Amino acid sequence: MRSELKLAPWQAALSQHQQSRAASFGIVGMGLGKTAATLSTILGSQLSGESRSALIVAPLRVATLTWPLEVEKWDLCEGTRINVLRSPEAFARITKPGLHVINYEALPKLVEAVKGLKKWPWDTVVFDESTRAKNHQSKRINAFRPYLKAARKRFALTGTPAPNSLLDLFAQARLLDDGAALGPAFEAYKRRYFYPVDYMEYDWRPHEGARELIYERMAELAIVQRSEDFLDVADTVLEDVEVSLPSGCRAVYSDLETKLIATTSNGKDVLAANAAVLTNKLLQVAGGAIYHEDKSVTELHHDKLTALEILRKRHPGEPLLVACNYRHEQDRIARLKGAVRFDSAKSDRAQLELVARWNAGEIPLLVSDPRSIGHGLNLQDGGRIVVWFSPTYSRESYDQFNARLARRGQERVPIVYRITCPGTIDDAVIETLRDKGDEQGALLSAVRNLHRMRGLAA
């Protein structure tokens, strides 16, 4: 059954921003309803005759679950349908007026499909969770970019615009304005505003005053809405739960860290060929198990599992949403009583059923890779507790996963637990995550302040 869509004031401000310009970068906090606001913009322009057809590009689960559910939910236009481009039959309908949605990974198929058309079908293009397009070297994005010039309107939506650094902004902005704000070439942008920290040029930092220049350029393009400014959701309680690495595991950990090779108790060798592999191996040891080159797994300790069970006893009857970085972590947690893996639901229908069961309180413990469940899903009705079994370097994954529960409609105090092994790589990951959060927070605050100073919509 559909409901009448009534935009909240901040949603109306986002919609107005989109209506008033050709390119809109909606930096909108999780839980503020950016999908509904953008849908209102699109269908309003179609009803007025300004727009004929719109294309939404989104992460897979957002494309297949969030947007179709949003269209179904609101009574915006009688007979409104959304064409999810995942089958030959759906691609055959791309010239028909209406709403079409596709996941980022399928863009090459779309490029092939439109090559034979006389006219570009969509006058509005939306990049939802636009950080999926932050890689300026992405072949699928760059193959798609030339077609955007035919679109009358371009929107981007994200709550995490710069999850790693301000370098992440470039490709997203260029999708919207072809380089008007930050320039058309990434190398020029990077060398204008940043300098290399080391001679290998792996790490780049902003020049003095460069941040302010970037903020000012983005202020013309972006609207910033932070969740904490609008939502009456209690502040999230964050607690690190520390477990000690057992002595036998500490020896394996130390050998890996210093010698790049270690032997587990079952006689199997573990080799770290480079720094990236070493980081993953150390995280796995801290988590309690490790992969070998033949993909087999050696379990090393159960201390984090014990900590997870203690948390369950601390909150009797309350469901837990657990984030894991490795499949062997999910495998071990899945053995616990009442545990369900989100990744076990392969089809769209199965995932919707799993979300419904969680929100109905029928799943005591839901475990997932944060990348699988981090965008678009509303899980706040099912619980309030997130547990990070292993930490992540990705600020985007961290913020998005936590926001599945700490969002509009959450009536209790959200809690985030991080199970860590002190004195290991866990500490370094959490510190890196904090640094990335500081950078992104500074961006959001600066752009909002510029808006206020200029009297622009914020």
Side-chain angles (χ1 to χ4, degrees), residues 379-452:
L379 303 176
Q380 68 272 22
D381 292 337
R384 61 166 181 149
I385 301 172
V386 167
V387 180
W388 285 87
F389 191 83
S390 51
T392 176
Y393 276 109
S394 170
R395 187 75 207 189
E396 181 180 9
S397 293
Y398 181 76
D399 288 342
Q400 290 284 357
F401 194 87
N402 292 342
R404 295 315 97 207
L405 305 186
R407 61 195 297 111
R408 190 182 184 188
Q410 178 58 263
E411 298 178 350
R412 294 166 291 174
V413 176
I415 303 175
V416 173
Y417 291 109
R418 300 185 299 200
I419 304 177
T420 67
C421 286
T424 71
I425 191 71
D426 284 0
D427 291 339
V429 173
I430 288 173
E431 188 62 32
T432 301
L433 198 66
R434 184 180 298 113
D435 291 343
K436 291 178 179 178
D438 291 343
E439 181 82 272
Q440 183 164 266
L443 165 69
L444 302 186
S445 296
V447 173
R448 278 184 62 84
N449 289 338
L450 282 168
H451 283 157
R452 286 169 176 157

Side-chain angles (χ1 to χ4, degrees), residues 40-58:
S40 178
T41 301
I42 293 170
L43 294 184
S45 63
Q46 290 181 356
L47 285 172
S48 68
E50 294 180 52
S51 173
R52 179 177 181 271
S53 193
L55 174 70
I56 298 110
V57 187

Side-chain angles (χ1 to χ4, degrees), residues 299-458:
E299 295 190 14
L300 301 172
H301 67 85
H302 304 287
D303 292 58
K304 286 197 173 185
L305 286 171
T306 301
L308 180 58
E309 288 287 53
I310 291 173
L311 289 175
R312 296 180 77 179
K313 291 177 181 177
R314 185 187 296 184
H315 300 280
E318 290 202 59
L320 271 60
L321 180 63
V322 183
C324 297
N325 289 312
Y326 303 102
R327 184 162 292 278
H328 61 59
E329 293 177 341
Q330 291 188 47
D331 292 340
R332 287 181 292 135
I333 294 172
R335 300 172 197 159
L336 302 179
K337 184 178 180 180
V340 175
R341 293 174 61 157
F342 183 81
D343 290 347
S344 65
K346 300 298 184 182
S347 69
D348 297 344
R349 181 180 294 276
Q351 289 170 10
L352 284 172
E353 291 173 353
L354 204 56
V355 169
R357 286 179 57 203
W358 164 266
N359 280 326
E362 298 174 1
I363 300 176
L365 194 157
L366 183 61
V367 58
S368 175
D369 184 314
R371 294 167 296 184
S372 298
I373 210 170
H375 290 92
L377 296 183
N378 296 315
L379 303 176
Q380 68 272 22
D381 292 337
R384 61 166 181 149
I385 301 172
V386 167
V387 180
W388 285 87
F389 191 83
S390 51
T392 176
Y393 276 109
S394 170
R395 187 75 207 189
E396 181 180 9
S397 293
Y398 181 76
D399 288 342
Q400 290 284 357
F401 194 87
N402 292 342
R404 295 315 97 207
L405 305 186
R407 61 195 297 111
R408 190 182 184 188
Q410 178 58 263
E411 298 178 350
R412 294 166 291 174
V413 176
I415 303 175
V416 173
Y417 291 109
R418 300 185 299 200
I419 304 177
T420 67
C421 286
T424 71
I425 191 71
D426 284 0
D427 291 339
V429 173
I430 288 173
E431 188 62 32
T432 301
L433 198 66
R434 184 180 298 113
D435 291 343
K436 291 178 179 178
D438 291 343
E439 181 82 272
Q440 183 164 266
L443 165 69
L444 302 186
S445 296
V447 173
R448 278 184 62 84
N449 289 338
L450 282 168
H451 283 157
R452 286 169 176 157
M453 290 165 57
R454 297 177 182 178
L456 299 173

Side-chain angles (χ1 to χ4, degrees), residues 104-216:
Y104 284 97
E105 295 78 8
L107 281 178
K109 292 182 180 179
L110 189 66
V111 170
E112 288 301 315
V114 299
K115 281 181 179 178
L117 299 179
K118 294 182 179 179
K119 184 180 179 182
W120 171 255
W122 305 287
D123 42 42
T124 302
V125 179
V126 179
F127 295 94
D128 196 3
E129 304 300 350
S130 60
T131 47
R132 291 296 181 92
K134 68 180 183 292
N135 180 6
H136 71 283
Q137 294 179 314
S138 170
K139 292 182 179 179
R140 59 173 176 258
I141 296 295
N142 288 333
F144 181 67
R145 274 199 307 117
Y147 295 94
L148 291 174
K149 294 184 183 297
R152 188 176 61 86
K153 294 264 192 178
R154 303 183 218 174
F155 307 148
L157 302 168
T158 181
T160 52
N164 299 308
S165 79
L166 294 177
L167 290 168
D168 291 340
L169 291 174
F170 172 81
Q172 298 174 77
R174 187 176 62 175
L175 275 178
L176 298 176
D177 64 8
D178 301 317
L182 300 181
F186 177 75
E187 283 299 319
Y189 167 72
K190 183 169 70 172
R191 296 188 181 277
R192 177 181 179 184
Y193 295 106
F194 302 83
Y195 67 93
V197 176
D198 52 27
Y199 75 95
M200 295 294 290
E201 297 191 351
Y202 287 139
D203 188 13
W204 290 74
R205 304 285 174 82
H207 289 296
E208 184 176 353
R211 284 187 176 89
E212 290 72 22
L213 290 173
I214 293 171
Y215 301 157
E216 187 170 352

